[in-house]
């Protein structure tokens, strides 16, 4: 939701009217729209239909375990009728103000890959559609168009561990771990919603979309944008990295803006007391399938290596938490903190005491780490995680934790990777590479130029 909101804000800042449509709980997560944008950016909520087996109150992938995500998509499919009513009301209002918050008939519907039911609604009202992919462009290239998949079928996990034949140049666009390959293979099979993720994407791409917009840019993923435009026979348009402007970087010194949230104050105080670049921050995202075994091996690996750490920990599948006595042992040594509540990630990454980031390699987290030239300890778990780092032009920015063949990892592997990044000389070289890549990707003027160019595409292709 955050990249969609950031794109909405940037379009609103340019004077375009944007209506952000979501569900009530998700809309509340967005926070307050800045007053300066409130004239152009409105949030509209549609109630999510109930689905048997979906936990009450669940409205996003962060609210459900991986095995319930298909049910969540089934619930979102139930939004077709209310969304059709919303659009019909906006179109009927003409140039007058519709009660929904639309000022007039929309010129575009910009949507996620999963809403394949939108295209008949858009077609009925003659509204142009664009799909906005928040994944690396490498992921879209890896999935490829339907005709290429029919010509080159992938039936086994091993098929997803090699570069697809429709990518004509040498690249690293393939999954290296079997557990990741098994996950992507499942995305090509129907789930509890009755439709596969791949079929949702292909239906959107073939029937609906005039453009495919990517949260990426050619500096991050060279060669891919011309290829994607050719593969899908429509423009693949970079929107830039769309990083939230929470942090300012002035003359290489990072200045964090203040926040009214005091729940994190003790952790920030602890960070203030630590030596510069001595702490590794650990966060595995809001929806990665973290298990109790993952948590245990991570914790014991951190104890083995003995570095300072700040860990943003979600309760894993099964509800089991840290090994007995772990928190008291690290607290007694004043070596680490575990935070089970919300953590302001950008503020932590910006702190002078943080010198590395143990991450699941989500696309957003990669960019946030590069924003502060932090080397990575990489622990990709599923989805596009891992492909993003492999696609970057300077990939030597971190060390991956070694995986076992069964998709598990051991505490010794965690300790070894953290030691390389935080203790050994290699960490300095990785940080230097990250700084080089930050210089390439951190040109704010160029990033804003991509939004301006996107607006030009929207004006030409509607």
């Amino acid at each position: 939701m955050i990249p969609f909101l950031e794109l909405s804000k940037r379009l609103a800042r340019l004077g375009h009217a944007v209506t952000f449509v979501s569900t009530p709980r998700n809309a509340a997560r967005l926070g307050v729209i800045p007053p300066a944008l409130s004239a152009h950016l409105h949030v509209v909520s549609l109630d999510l239909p109930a689905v048997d087996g979906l936990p009450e109150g669940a409205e996003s992938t962060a609210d459900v375990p991986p095995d319930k995500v298909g049910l969540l998509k089934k619930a979102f499919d139930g939004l077709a009728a209310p969304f059709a009513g919303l659009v019909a009301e906006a179109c009927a209002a003409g140039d007058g103000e519709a009660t929904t918050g639309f000022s007039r008939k929309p010129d575009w519907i910009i949507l996620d890959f999963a809403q394949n039911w939108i295209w008949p609604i858009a077609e009925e009202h003659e509204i142009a559609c664009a799909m906005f992919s928040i994944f690396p462009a490498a992921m879209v290239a890896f999935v490829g168009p339907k005709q290429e998949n029919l010509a080159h079928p992938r039936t086994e996990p091993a098929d997803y561990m090699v570069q697809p034949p429709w990518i004509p140049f040498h690249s690293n666009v393939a999954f290296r771990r079997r557990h990741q390959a098994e996950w992507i293979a499942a995305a090509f099979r129907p789930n509890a919603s009755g439709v596969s993720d791949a079929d949702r994407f292909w239906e959107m791409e073939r029937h609906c979309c005039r453009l495919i917009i990517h949260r990426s840019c050619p500096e991050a993923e060279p060669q891919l944008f011309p290829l994607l435009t050719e593969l899908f026979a429509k423009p693949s348009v970079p929107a830039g990295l769309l990083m939230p402007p929470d942090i300012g970087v002035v003359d290489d010194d990072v200045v964090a803006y203040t926040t009214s949230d005091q729940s994190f104050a003790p952790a920030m105080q602890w960070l203030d007391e630590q030596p510069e670049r001595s702490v590794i921050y650990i966060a595995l995202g809001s929806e990665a399938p973290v298990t109790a075994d993952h948590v245990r091996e991570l914790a014991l690996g951190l104890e083995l290596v003995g570095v300072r750490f700040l860990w943003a920990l979600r309760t894993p599948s099964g509800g089991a938490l840290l090994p007995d006595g772990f928190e008291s042992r690290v607290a007694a040594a004043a070596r680490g903190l575990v935070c089970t509540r919300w953590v302001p990630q950008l503020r932590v990454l910006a702190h002078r005491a943080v010198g590395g980031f143990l991450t699941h390699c989500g696309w957003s987290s990669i960019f946030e780490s590069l924003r502060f030239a932090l080397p990575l300890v990489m622990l990709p778990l599923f989805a596009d995680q891992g492909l993003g780092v492999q696609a970057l032009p300077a990939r030597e920015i971190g060390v991956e934790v070694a995986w076992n063949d069964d998709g598990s990892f051991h505490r010794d592997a965690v300790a070894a990777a953290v030691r390389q990044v935080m203790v050994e000389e290699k960490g300095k070289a990785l940080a230097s590479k990250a700084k080089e890549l930050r210089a390439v990707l951190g040109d704010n003027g160029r990033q804003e130029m991509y939004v301006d160019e996107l607006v030009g595409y929207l004006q030409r292709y509607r």
Side-chain angles (χ1 to χ4, degrees), residues 171-206:
S171 76
N172 290 293
V173 181
F175 289 90
R176 296 188 296 162
R177 310 298 177 194
R178 186 174 180 86
H179 70 279
Q180 296 172 313
E182 289 172 347
W183 180 90
I184 190 65
F188 286 75
R189 299 191 295 267
N191 53 47
S193 70
V195 185
S196 73
D197 288 347
D199 279 326
R200 288 178 184 273
F201 167 70
W202 288 329
E203 187 171 1
M204 285 281 305
E205 178 269 318
R206 284 183 296 130

Side-chain angles (χ1 to χ4, degrees), residues 11 24 38 42-43 47 49 140 163 195 233 237 288 298 300 330 335 344 351-352 371 386 394 397-398 407 409 459:
L11 293 173
S38 59
H42 300 91
V43 177
D47 290 330
V140 180
Q163 178 174 312
V195 185
V237 184
L298 268 176
L300 296 175
V330 297
R335 203 174 65 240
H351 199 283
R352 60 162 187 81
R371 195 169 186 173
I397 56 174
F409 57 86
Q459 290 170 338

Side-chain angles (χ1 to χ4, degrees), residues 35 49 65 85 89 91 98 142 158 176 207 232 251 277 284 291 308 317 319 330 342 366 397 449:
E89 182 182 350
C91 294
F142 182 84
R176 296 188 296 162
H207 292 292
F232 293 101
D251 294 331
R277 297 285 181 175
L284 300 179
T291 68
R308 295 175 175 87
S317 301
V330 297
W342 176 79
I366 291 170
I397 56 174
M449 178 196 73

Side-chain angles (χ1 to χ4, degrees), residues 38-53:
S38 59
H40 297 290
L41 176 55
H42 300 91
V43 177
V44 171
S45 297
L46 299 177
D47 290 330
L48 189 68
V51 167
D52 287 343

Side-chain angles (χ1 to χ4, degrees), residues 277-319:
R277 297 285 181 175
S278 66
V279 175
I280 186 166
Y281 172 60
I282 303 152
L284 300 179
S286 61
E287 59 181 288
V290 179
T291 68
D293 286 344
H294 292 152
V295 171
R296 182 185 65 253
E297 294 303 315
L298 268 176
L300 296 175
L302 291 169
E303 279 201 280
L304 282 175
V305 74
V307 301
R308 295 175 175 87
F309 66 87
L310 176 64
W311 188 352
L313 175 63
R314 291 188 302 112
T315 302
S317 301

